[in-house]
Structure formats: structure tokens, C-alpha cells
Amino acid sequence: VTAREIIEKKRNGEALSRHEIAFFIRGLIEGQFTDYQASALLMAIFIRGMSRDETVALTREMRDAGKVLDLSSIPGPKVDKHSTGGVGDKTSLLLAPIAAVCGVKVPMITGRALGHTGGTLDKLQSIPGFDFQPSLPQVLSLLRKHGAVLMGQTPELAPADARLYALRDATGTVESIPLITASILSKKLAEGIEGLVLDVKTGSGAFMPSSRLALKLAQSLVHTGKGLGIRTVAVVTGMDQPLGRAVGNALEVRECLEFLQGESPEDLQTVTFELAAQMLMLARLARTRRSAETMAREAVSSGAAWRRFLDMVAAQNGDIRVLENPELLPKAANVSRLEASRSGFVAQVDARMVGMASNQLGAGRTRMEDAIDTAVGIYLHKKIGDRVRRDEILCEVHWNDAACLHGTMALLGKAFQIRPGPVRPPRLIRSVMKG
Amino acid sequence: VTAREIIEKKRNGEALSRHEIAFFIRGLIEGQFTDYQASALLMAIFIRGMSRDETVALTREMRDAGKVLDLSSIPGPKVDKHSTGGVGDKTSLLLAPIAAVCGVKVPMITGRALGHTGGTLDKLQSIPGFDFQPSLPQVLSLLRKHGAVLMGQTPELAPADARLYALRDATGTVESIPLITASILSKKLAEGIEGLVLDVKTGSGAFMPSSRLALKLAQSLVHTGKGLGIRTVAVVTGMDQPLGRAVGNALEVRECLEFLQGESPEDLQTVTFELAAQMLMLARLARTRRSAETMAREAVSSGAAWRRFLDMVAAQNGDIRVLENPELLPKAANVSRLEASRSGFVAQVDARMVGMASNQLGAGRTRMEDAIDTAVGIYLHKKIGDRVRRDEILCEVHWNDAACLHGTMALLGKAFQIRPGPVRPPRLIRSVMKG
């Protein structure tokens, strides 16, 4: 079999065999499949699609192209959560200690911000000293002692994914269900987990806003996870407005600290406890959805999750003084306020626009090599459905660089929409799909 | 506009603007459009297609990416012929002197063999000393004095085509009507011609055997040529069996010498005089198809085309002694014969198999860097429709390397099919399409 034959087969709309997919991924790493051949194949896959069997084979080969963590020496169920990315989505930082307190082992590999969405690794960067590159023995020891570890992607794990993602990004072949499925799952399954909860976002702030595509992606993820022998659940959640009130790295960490100490916005609770409950059920630590949620809520209300978070951060060399005294977290030099131009009800807080506004302040990045400012961001005082009076504060903008401020304020002005009559907040949990 | 936006547009099945196509071709040469982006776009074009306007724009940009010969100082109509490639197709060598004698200026840029089909440049290589890289002043002088010049492609002419062809070859995107159209026409129109006759082959020996695709390609070529202001005619001709009797470089040159001296197989005459007549009509040197053919036939029967060929070759430093005494042409050391295993009528002389058999002897090449043996080849004693008796000679194999002989004879054995009842030779001129 040659690269060209494989490309021609997919070009003609035929299904590739497991052997051909293995040739593609190995060839990409070893050189028999060039970049320009890979991008022709990616375009053919984008247009012609892939069957479930092909997607399973692609995911398996991408996972097995690198190292897969061996967690067999760790007792207890290993379950993780992955989100397709949103604005103000800080649930990973909450789920790791909550699930760990309940008995789950969470070997969470997490990423950096790109585009308008945030990244857990960038949020952790606002905690001085936090080491997100533990060695394998350290990972095992952290999991054994604290039940969770938060770490960055390494080049040994799913190495083909980084190559393919760079090509997809440059060739307009990102938004393909089978390619996204294989990209997400190959990295997560390299963690050596038994169960995975997927938070598939839908709405303006989501990577793929269309609800039809979000459902298709959720199905594909669940089927592919199952096809690889992993217990998998996908929860489709609304990302029309940012999750919680804080958008921006240190601001979001602060919101997490408040959450773990019992004070938090309702929408953030709804999504976090839904995902936590699904994790506990996949881990077979709870029999019913209801008992799972009760366990998760008690982990927070008892203060156990908060203490666990402090232990986890300390064990990864993070400075826990900033957690105990959030005033020490990175802080922007200035705070400006956006006020309502009229009275009424908030009808829209467009998540994508808020994410872009936060990016403009320096909280995110356009290219992977950009530096970020962990201190800046946006804090929402009003969310969809809230009553607002003229001149009341809609949101606070935490900023350092005056050059960006004007554009940011203009964007936020467009993100908020106020209507005269009452507005219902959008539904958060759209569907739960099991493998 | 960015490379990714252009790729995404075509990926979605939309038409590209002239500006976007210009960005693509210029970017390919200047570096803003990488190889892997180009191959993703080529795949999207392959699957989604291109409109007539897009094909015209692509051809124009590919032509204008390099030098275009300025023949305005040469009096007389400039018309050329191009063939999509066949087996035993030596019409270029005949048409140049015939059309020149009739008053056409023929600035013929021609190529090398690839795959199972032959190339005019390789045939010329069997004439010692022949210089197929004249300088531009030499080209002008040759056209002025002799009315024709035969030359190889140079890197300055249509430079994007070579880059694109290499990518298409490696990524399974060769057989695309708009891409083939732009590739053929961009190179030919860089000759600075006013008219072009296209010989689109169909049948087993053709690059695209399907007659439906040959018709589509012929239409696309004619429309695109017209769209660029060039008088264009496409003749779809049958390539079920090799054209004429000789296949292989020196053998084909010898058949041309005989043709120009008045002795030639009927099928070669039919195609050559059809194409010659079309050239004369495009050149407006004849009003009717009939008078055009008469002019062309008289150019041969009078001996004028033969003398012109000698002059042309001499002017390009070729050794005309080998033309006057064909025994001096490169000659294989051995000749073997394939005999009929039974009596009957020849029903098939599969052109592709004969081309491949000739290649195995060393007459052609699989990769562009392969060397060729101009002496070897196949001479057909029987063609479709001929009556044959058991043990009569079907063809002669002229060979140098014994290692290849067995495979060649086996392939030729399969190429010939004999049936008990009479067989009609296939139609040669399938259709003539005008712009």
C-alpha cells in the first residue's frame, strides 16, 4: 500500500482499512507519508467523512503512536473529564478535587488557551510555582496520595495529533467530526483511563456553535470511546453565555476558590455537579444520578474538596498562600466598568464576544507562541435573565494595557443585549449521551 | 484573503474569485501558499470541481506566472497541436513540417514520456545532436526561416505547473478535468500562439480511458481556450490500439520518415491529416475541412514536408544523415517475433499493454529521472481487423536487455486477441469540438 493509494481511496469516498489508517499515522511519524500527502488526505476525510470503524481505528493508531500511561499500579477507578472548550469554563479545576475526594483517580492532562476559549493550564499559571510537568513516577505518586494530578501535554503522548492539528489548522480541515473525535480521544486515552466524561459545548461560545454538529460530535465521541473499550459519557452543555461570572485566568481561579468554599453562581454549579455526577457513575462509585450528585455536593459542602485542592496544589509545588489569600493572585492595575445604557432584562451575554474581549486584554492567545497576562479579564455582574437598571454595572474589565481597552469595551457593548420584557436563561444541560 | 480562507471556500463547494486564484498561484511561487496548503486545495478542487470561469482564471494565472513567448515579430498565424498522450503517437513530428509547409508558424513545446505513453522529446533524442533547448532569439529565427521549432519545456515557462503536477502526482489528484485543463493550456498558451488543436485520446491507451471523461475534457479545453481568447479545437481520437505500426523512439522516427516520403499506415494518415486540417483551418489558411486536408496531403505528396523536416532538423543541429539513411538510427541488438497462436482476425491490440511492454524494454520511464533506450520498441505487423494465420508474425520486439524480454512477450501475448470472425477496426475520429 502507498500513500497515494490511501488518499485516492478516501478521495473516492471509500472506507479505509485499519491497516491503511495505521500506515497513514505511522508514515506521518516515520516520513513515508509527507505533510502534503497528509493534508490532501485530511481534506478528503473532511469532505468524504469516516465511518465509525474508521474513526475508532484512527483514534487507536493516534493513541498508540506515542506512550500510553500505565496506571495499573494505582488502585481505584481512573476517570477524567474533557471539554471541547468554552468561555469562563473552569470546571476542570473543580472536578479534579471533587472527584478525587469521592474516590476517583483523575490523571488530568490539560491544555492551553487558543482562539476565544480558555485553557486550564493558563489558569494554573496564575498560581506561582505550580509544576505542570511532573515525571511519570511523580504522576503515580500524586495520584496515589491525592487522587488527582493536573498536567500539560508532553511530546511523547499522542505525537501524531500535534502534527495533524498544525496541518488541519493551516488547511481549513479543523471542523471535521471524525478528525476532532480522534484528536480529543487519542490524547485523553493516552492517560490510561477507564472512563471519560465529555463536555461538548454548544452555542455562540463553543468551538462548533451549531447544536446539530455538537450532537453529532457527542455521538461520535461516545461511540468511538466505547469502540476502544472506554466507558464514555458525553454531556452537551450550553455555551451561549460564559460559564460563571469570571473570564480570565486569575479571576477564574479566584471563582474556583469561592466555589470550593461554598459560594458560587448557579450555572457553574449546575454544569460542575452534572459532570461530577457522571464521573462518579462511570467510576461506579454511585449507582444513581441522584446519589452521585449528592456525593459530589457533599464533597464541596464538607470542605473536603477545598482541602484536597490545597493539598494537590501544594504537592505540585504551587504556592498555596495565593489560594488562602486570593488578594495575592495576579491582579490587573486597572478596573473599568461597563454600565447598562437602559433598563430591562439581559437577553444576551454573547460568549464568543466576551471571550474575544478577554483575549484582546491579553488573557488568551491567537497563536500558540503568544504570551498571556494571567491578571486581566472580565467579571460579569449580570447574566442572561437578570433584571438591570440603567447605569447599573454589567461587567468589570480588569486591564493592564490601555491600548486594548477601547476595542474591548466596544466588543463587550455588543456582547450584552437588554430587552424590555423578562428573559429566560438558556438551558444548560442539553443532553446526556451514554456509550 | 488568506490561504486557509481560500481552501475553506473551495472545501465548501463555492467558486473561487479570480483574485483568490491569483493569490493561490502567486503564493505557491512566492511562498505564502505552502505545499501542504496547495495539496489540500487540490483535493478540494478534485472533489468539488471548478466552474468554467474558475478554470479560465486558473489557466490564465498559471500561464502568467512565468514567461510568455512574444511571437508578435513573426509574420503568419501561430498555431500548435497538443495531444493528451498515446501509444505510437508520433503525429507531432509530422504536423510540424506539414503545417509549416502550408504557412503555419508552429512553436512546438513538447515533453518527455511518462507512464505507458511516449514523448516527442524522447523520439527526437534518437537523432544525434538535435538541440531541443534553443534560446529565444534562436526560436524566433527558426520560426522565421523554417516555420517550425521543436523544443523542450523550460523552467521559465508556466513554472507553477511543474510544482502543481508534482503535488498532484503524489496526492492522487491528477485526474481532475479543471486541473488537467489548466495544466495543458497554461504551458501551451505560454508559447504565444493564436490557435491550438487538441488531440484528446480515448480508449485503453489514453491517459483517461473513459470516453465520457474524454468528451468532458475536450469541452473544458475548448471552452477554456476560448475564454482566454485562443482559437481552439479539440479532436477526440481513439487510442484503443497504438497509432501506426511503430512503438518506441527510433522506430517511430523511422515510421515518420517513411510517412513523409509517402509510405504510411492508414490510421496514422487519418489522424495526422485530421489534425493538420484543423490546424490549417484555425490558422485561416483554408476555408473548408476538405481543402485543408488536400493542402496537408499535398505538402506530403509533393515531398515539401519531407524536405522541410530535413531543414528543421539540420537547423536545430540534428544529424540529418540518420534521416536520409535510417539504417543509421539507434538500433536494438536483437529482434524477436511474436507469432499468432491461431488463425482468425485480430480483435484487440491493447494500446496500454503495448505501451507498458515497450516501457519494460526500456523505451519509456516510470519516474522522470529514469534513462531511456531510444533503440528498443515494438513494431506491429498486425492491427485490429487484420486477418491472421496461425504462426504468422503479430509483432516484432526490438530489444537490448534479455532480462526484460520474458515479461514483455507475456504482456504482448495478452495485448493481442484473435477471434474467428471478421472484426471492424475501431473508429478513429470520434468527435471534433470547436470553441
Side-chain angles (χ1 to χ4, degrees):
Chain A
V1 67
T2 66
R4 187 166 66 179
E5 284 162 8
I6 292 171
I7 299 168
E8 286 173 348
K9 206 169 163 187
K10 180 47 71 185
R11 176 198 80 188
N12 296 343
E14 292 168 52
L16 301 180
S17 70
R18 195 174 155 176
H19 174 68
E20 287 160 338
I21 289 170
F23 181 93
F24 166 43
I25 296 301
R26 273 179 232 144
L28 192 70
I29 287 167
E30 292 164 12
Q32 305 94 306
F33 221 102
T34 64
D35 275 359
Y36 52 87
Q37 288 173 319
S39 56
L41 181 57
L42 290 169
M43 179 58 78
I45 291 171
F46 188 102
I47 298 178
R48 300 297 195 193
M50 268 190 153
S51 71
R52 283 185 192 169
D53 286 350
E54 286 178 283
T55 309
V56 167
L58 180 61
T59 307
R60 181 190 289 113
E61 293 302 328
M62 284 172 65
R63 177 193 69 190
D64 295 346
K67 212 167 68 177
V68 175
L69 295 187
D70 178 5
L71 303 182
S72 56
S73 65
I74 308 285
K78 291 99 198 169
V79 174
D80 193 9
K81 183 231 51 161
H82 177 81
S83 156
T84 59
V87 179
D89 180 7
K90 65 277 292 175
T91 56
S92 290
L93 290 182
L94 302 169
L95 289 168
I98 293 171
V101 160
C102 299
V104 183
K105 305 295 176 187
V106 189
M108 193 179 270
I109 294 174
T110 180
R112 298 198 171 276
L114 193 61
H116 67 278
T117 62
T120 303
L121 225 53
D122 294 322
K123 293 166 197 171
L124 288 170
Q125 212 173 291
S126 42
I127 304 172
F130 192 93
D131 173 17
F132 34 75
Q133 296 190 304
S135 66
L136 181 60
Q138 285 171 324
V139 168
L140 296 178
S141 150
L142 289 164
L143 279 176
R144 203 170 276 125
K145 270 194 210 153
H146 306 289
V149 56
L150 292 157
M151 55 190 159
Q153 173 74 13
T154 71
E156 305 96 66
L157 298 171
D161 180 64
R163 284 280 299 283
L164 286 178
Y165 190 82
L167 286 176
R168 286 165 60 205
D169 189 43
T171 61
T173 50
V174 168
E175 298 93 343
S176 153
I177 302 277
L179 294 177
I180 296 169
T181 301
S183 173
I184 290 176
L185 291 183
S186 64
K187 282 182 292 190
K188 280 286 159 182
L189 301 192
E191 293 175 351
I193 49 177
E194 297 143 34
L196 179 62
V197 175
L198 292 143
D199 180 3
V200 179
K201 304 289 190 191
T202 184
S204 84
F207 165 61
M208 290 205 301
S210 139
S211 68
R212 193 183 60 85
L213 286 179
L215 275 174
K216 278 188 77 172
L217 176 57
Q219 276 168 342
S220 173
L221 286 164
V222 162
H223 285 297
T224 307
K226 195 185 174 191
L228 287 161
I230 306 298
R231 299 197 290 271
T232 314
V233 164
V235 183
V236 179
T237 65
M239 184 35 74
D240 304 286
Q241 62 179 341
L243 192 60
R245 297 198 175 275
V247 177
N249 302 288
L251 293 172
E252 293 190 43
V253 168
R254 188 168 183 155
E255 190 169 41
C256 287
L257 304 179
E258 291 162 3
F259 186 106
L260 292 171
Q261 291 173 91
E263 203 178 316
S264 52
E266 210 187 302
D267 64 337
L268 184 56
Q269 284 188 42
T270 302
V271 174
T272 303
F273 290 123
E274 176 67 45
L275 298 172
Q278 297 298 342
M279 285 177 79
L280 297 183
M281 285 195 290
L282 283 192
R284 296 180 176 160
L285 294 167
R287 284 226 185 129
T288 66
R289 167 74 187 68
R290 189 182 193 137
S291 63
E293 182 166 340
T294 305
M295 274 176 78
R297 286 192 180 268
E298 277 174 9
V300 175
S301 60
S302 65
W306 164 238
R307 289 190 299 274
R308 183 65 62 99
F309 189 58
L310 292 177
D311 291 347
M312 281 169 53
V313 170
Q316 290 191 244
N317 292 325
D319 183 352
I320 60 164
R321 285 173 305 175
V322 303
L323 305 183
E324 288 168 331
N325 184 1
E327 291 302 311
L328 298 175
L329 279 168
K331 217 169 173 175
N334 315 279
V335 178
S336 298
R337 294 183 169 84
L338 178 72
E339 289 162 4
S341 55
R342 57 165 168 151
S343 298
F345 294 84
V346 176
Q348 182 198 277
V349 190
D350 187 278
R352 181 171 295 256
M353 290 188 202
V354 175
M356 284 163 58
S358 171
N359 253 15
Q360 282 192 2
L361 296 171
R365 50 171 77 74
T366 315
R367 293 167 309 164
M368 257 307 166
E369 53 276 23
D370 295 344
I372 61 158
D373 183 346
T374 55
V376 299
I378 293 151
Y379 191 84
L380 306 172
H381 283 247
K382 298 288 177 187
K383 298 198 63 179
I384 298 176
D386 288 350
R387 178 163 219 155
V388 65
R389 288 210 197 90
R390 197 192 148 125
D391 297 335
E392 241 190 318
I393 298 171
L394 293 173
C395 66
E396 284 170 10
V397 177
H398 295 242
W399 57 278
N400 281 324
D401 182 357
C404 314
L405 190 64
H406 184 73
T408 304
M409 294 306 266
L411 203 48
L412 287 171
K414 277 188 218 160
F416 276 92
Q417 272 180 23
I418 295 168
R419 290 207 190 127
V423 176
R424 219 190 213 166
R427 217 154 36 98
L428 272 169
I429 309 300
R430 305 288 171 88
S431 61
V432 177
M433 245 175 270
K434 295 181 195 193
Chain B
V1 66
T2 66
R4 187 166 65 178
E5 284 161 10
I6 292 171
I7 299 169
E8 287 172 348
K9 207 169 162 187
K10 181 47 69 185
R11 176 198 80 187
N12 296 343
E14 291 167 53
L16 300 180
S17 70
R18 193 175 156 174
H19 174 69
E20 288 161 338
I21 289 169
F23 182 93
F24 165 44
I25 296 301
R26 273 179 231 145
L28 191 70
I29 287 166
E30 292 164 13
Q32 305 95 305
F33 221 103
T34 63
D35 275 358
Y36 52 87
Q37 288 173 320
S39 56
L41 181 57
L42 291 169
M43 180 56 79
I45 292 171
F46 188 101
I47 297 178
R48 300 297 195 194
M50 269 189 152
S51 71
R52 283 185 193 170
D53 286 350
E54 286 178 282
T55 309
V56 167
L58 179 62
T59 307
R60 181 191 287 112
E61 294 302 328
M62 283 172 66
R63 177 194 67 190
D64 294 346
K67 212 166 68 178
V68 175
L69 295 186
D70 178 4
L71 303 183
S72 56
S73 65
I74 307 286
K78 290 99 197 167
V79 175
D80 193 11
K81 184 229 56 160
H82 177 81
S83 156
T84 59
V87 179
D89 180 7
K90 65 277 292 174
T91 57
S92 290
L93 290 182
L94 302 169
L95 289 167
I98 292 170
V101 160
C102 299
V104 184
K105 305 293 176 187
V106 190
M108 192 180 271
I109 294 174
T110 180
R112 298 199 170 275
L114 193 60
H116 68 279
T117 61
T120 302
L121 225 52
D122 293 322
K123 293 167 197 171
L124 287 170
Q125 212 173 291
S126 44
I127 304 171
F130 192 93
D131 173 18
F132 36 73
Q133 296 190 302
S135 66
L136 181 59
Q138 285 171 323
V139 168
L140 297 177
S141 150
L142 288 164
L143 279 176
R144 202 170 278 123
K145 269 194 214 155
H146 306 289
V149 56
L150 291 157
M151 54 191 160
Q153 174 74 11
T154 72
E156 304 97 67
L157 297 171
D161 179 64
R163 284 281 298 283
L164 286 178
Y165 190 82
L167 286 176
R168 286 165 60 206
D169 188 43
T171 61
T173 50
V174 169
E175 297 94 343
S176 152
I177 302 277
L179 295 177
I180 296 168
T181 300
S183 173
I184 290 175
L185 290 183
S186 64
K187 282 181 292 189
K188 280 285 158 182
L189 302 191
E191 293 174 352
I193 48 178
E194 296 144 32
L196 178 61
V197 176
L198 292 144
D199 180 4
V200 179
K201 302 291 190 189
T202 184
S204 84
F207 165 60
M208 291 205 301
S210 137
S211 67
R212 192 183 61 84
L213 286 179
L215 275 172
K216 278 188 76 171
L217 176 58
Q219 276 168 343
S220 173
L221 287 163
V222 162
H223 286 298
T224 307
K226 195 185 174 190
L228 286 162
I230 306 298
R231 299 197 290 271
T232 314
V233 165
V235 184
V236 179
T237 64
M239 183 36 74
D240 304 285
Q241 62 179 341
L243 192 60
R245 298 197 174 274
V247 177
N249 302 288
L251 293 173
E252 293 190 42
V253 168
R254 189 170 182 153
E255 190 169 41
C256 287
L257 304 179
E258 291 164 2
F259 185 106
L260 293 171
Q261 291 174 92
E263 201 179 316
S264 53
E266 210 187 302
D267 64 338
L268 184 57
Q269 285 188 42
T270 302
V271 174
T272 302
F273 289 122
E274 176 67 46
L275 297 172
Q278 296 297 342
M279 285 176 80
L280 297 183
M281 285 194 290
L282 283 193
R284 296 179 177 160
L285 293 167
R287 283 226 186 130
T288 65
R289 167 74 187 66
R290 190 184 192 132
S291 64
E293 182 166 341
T294 305
M295 275 177 77
R297 286 191 181 269
E298 277 175 9
V300 175
S301 59
S302 66
W306 163 241
R307 289 188 299 273
R308 183 65 62 100
F309 189 58
L310 291 177
D311 291 346
M312 283 169 53
V313 170
Q316 292 193 241
N317 291 325
D319 183 351
I320 60 164
R321 284 174 303 174
V322 303
L323 305 182
E324 289 168 330
N325 183 3
E327 291 300 311
L328 298 175
L329 279 167
K331 217 170 172 176
N334 315 280
V335 179
S336 297
R337 293 182 170 86
L338 179 72
E339 289 163 4
S341 54
R342 56 164 168 153
S343 299
F345 293 84
V346 177
Q348 182 198 276
V349 190
D350 188 278
R352 181 171 295 256
M353 290 188 202
V354 174
M356 283 163 59
S358 172
N359 253 15
Q360 282 192 3
L361 295 172
R365 50 173 77 75
T366 314
R367 294 167 309 165
M368 256 310 166
E369 54 275 24
D370 295 344
I372 61 157
D373 182 346
T374 54
V376 299
I378 293 152
Y379 191 84
L380 307 171
H381 283 248
K382 297 288 177 186
K383 298 197 63 180
I384 297 176
D386 287 351
R387 178 163 220 154
V388 63
R389 287 209 197 93
R390 197 192 149 126
D391 297 335
E392 241 190 317
I393 298 171
L394 293 173
C395 67
E396 283 170 11
V397 178
H398 296 240
W399 58 278
N400 280 325
D401 181 358
C404 315
L405 190 63
H406 184 72
T408 305
M409 293 306 268
L411 202 49
L412 288 170
K414 277 188 217 158
F416 276 92
Q417 272 180 21
I418 296 168
R419 290 202 193 133
V423 176
R424 216 184 216 172
R427 221 160 25 104
L428 272 169
I429 310 300
R430 305 289 171 88
S431 61
V432 177
M433 247 176 269
K434 294 179 196 196

